[in-house]
Amino acid sequence: MATLLHIDSSVFPASASASRAVTETFRKAWEEQHPEGTVIYRDLSTEPVPHITADAHTAGFADPDAHTPEQAAAFAERVKLMEELERADAVLIGAPMYNFSIPSTLKAWLDNVILFGRTVGENPSAKGTPVTVVASRGGSYAPGTPREGYEYVQNYLTAILADMLALDVDFIVPELTMAPQNPAMAELVPLFEASRERALQDAASKAKTLAERLAA
């Protein structure tokens, strides 16, 4: 049966997180198709992975037999994360926009799994793995909007996940999530509700389609 690597990075609990609501919907639909499958779950907010250190970085370019104890320990953590990515048949990432970018915890995960000669290079070890990114945001940064130029989440993650790691990337974008809390955005609440409903439907549909494709 297929294995799903599910990563959440929102600092908010499921009851208050737009990205978690959508990733949960995706995961439930996936599990309905794969009741005996495996889900590897990482909540980077409650259990963050180590940020890259000099030992973790240099160990990736050194002969393992020459690693110092510090390099060996740091690199072992990176290998664990890379193996989870390599073992996955599909990846699901919750990536809310914070200050125009992704959460630092998600950036730390990416820094750990990016290794030239293994996950990046001529033959990336997870090449072609489908990854669904739930890129929620408080406003709208869609083409034609006033803040279009501040859209760094999808651009950045496309560069890293698709161009570097050679994954097959798809985005679900719930937007205007601050509208219900911000009086200045009150007139945008209907658009937020439509975006949320569309994201939830897309999550369920994409999960089912992907699961069926992998099972074929």
Side-chain angles (χ1 to χ4, degrees), residues 115-193:
L115 181 63
F116 287 87
R118 180 166 177 168
T119 59
V120 176
E122 292 186 7
N123 297 293
S125 55
K127 181 178 181 179
T129 302
V131 53
T132 303
V133 179
V134 179
S136 59
R137 60 277 313 275
S140 178
Y141 302 81
T145 62
R147 290 199 168 187
E148 175 183 357
Y150 293 96
E151 202 328 298
Y152 301 118
V153 172
Q154 288 177 263
N155 292 338
Y156 172 72
L157 289 178
T158 296
I160 295 295
L161 298 173
D163 299 344
M164 290 188 70
L165 294 171
L167 305 178
D168 182 9
V169 183
D170 187 26
F171 287 95
I172 298 174
V173 185
E175 61 180 10
L176 301 168
T177 62
M178 287 299 297
Q181 288 79 41
N182 186 347
M185 299 175 67
E187 64 181 18
L188 300 176
V189 169
L191 292 178
F192 152 72
E193 292 174 342

Side-chain angles (χ1 to χ4, degrees), residues 17-203:
S17 169
S19 65
R20 287 182 189 271
V22 178
T23 60
E24 181 181 15
T25 297
F26 184 105
R27 177 172 169 172
K28 284 182 178 179
W30 172 277
E31 290 177 326
E32 287 175 0
Q33 298 295 315
H34 292 293
E36 298 178 358
T38 299
V39 175
I40 303 170
Y41 182 59
R42 282 195 172 271
D43 189 331
L44 300 179
S45 178
T46 60
E47 296 184 30
V49 301
H51 281 77
I52 283 289
T53 62
D55 287 325
H57 177 74
T58 56
F61 300 94
D63 185 335
D65 292 335
H67 284 176
T68 65
E70 293 77 16
Q71 285 179 315
F75 194 61
E77 291 296 320
R78 293 188 67 186
V79 169
K80 184 188 305 181
L81 298 174
M82 286 185 278
E83 288 178 344
E84 289 178 353
L85 174 62
E86 293 163 346
R87 191 160 70 247
D89 296 291
V91 181
L92 171 66
I93 300 175
M97 178 186 283
Y98 293 159
N99 299 319
F100 306 127
S101 186
I102 61 173
S104 64
T105 51
L106 181 54
K107 176 64 162 59
W109 181 82
L110 290 169
D111 288 341
N112 274 280
V113 300
I114 293 171
L115 181 63
F116 287 87
R118 180 166 177 168
T119 59
V120 176
E122 292 186 7
N123 297 293
S125 55
K127 181 178 181 179
T129 302
V131 53
T132 303
V133 179
V134 179
S136 59
R137 60 277 313 275
S140 178
Y141 302 81
T145 62
R147 290 199 168 187
E148 175 183 357
Y150 293 96
E151 202 328 298
Y152 301 118
V153 172
Q154 288 177 263
N155 292 338
Y156 172 72
L157 289 178
T158 296
I160 295 295
L161 298 173
D163 299 344
M164 290 188 70
L165 294 171
L167 305 178
D168 182 9
V169 183
D170 187 26
F171 287 95
I172 298 174
V173 185
E175 61 180 10
L176 301 168
T177 62
M178 287 299 297
Q181 288 79 41
N182 186 347
M185 299 175 67
E187 64 181 18
L188 300 176
V189 169
L191 292 178
F192 152 72
E193 292 174 342
S195 176
R196 178 183 60 185
E197 184 60 28
R198 184 167 55 250
L200 293 172
Q201 291 178 357
D202 283 351

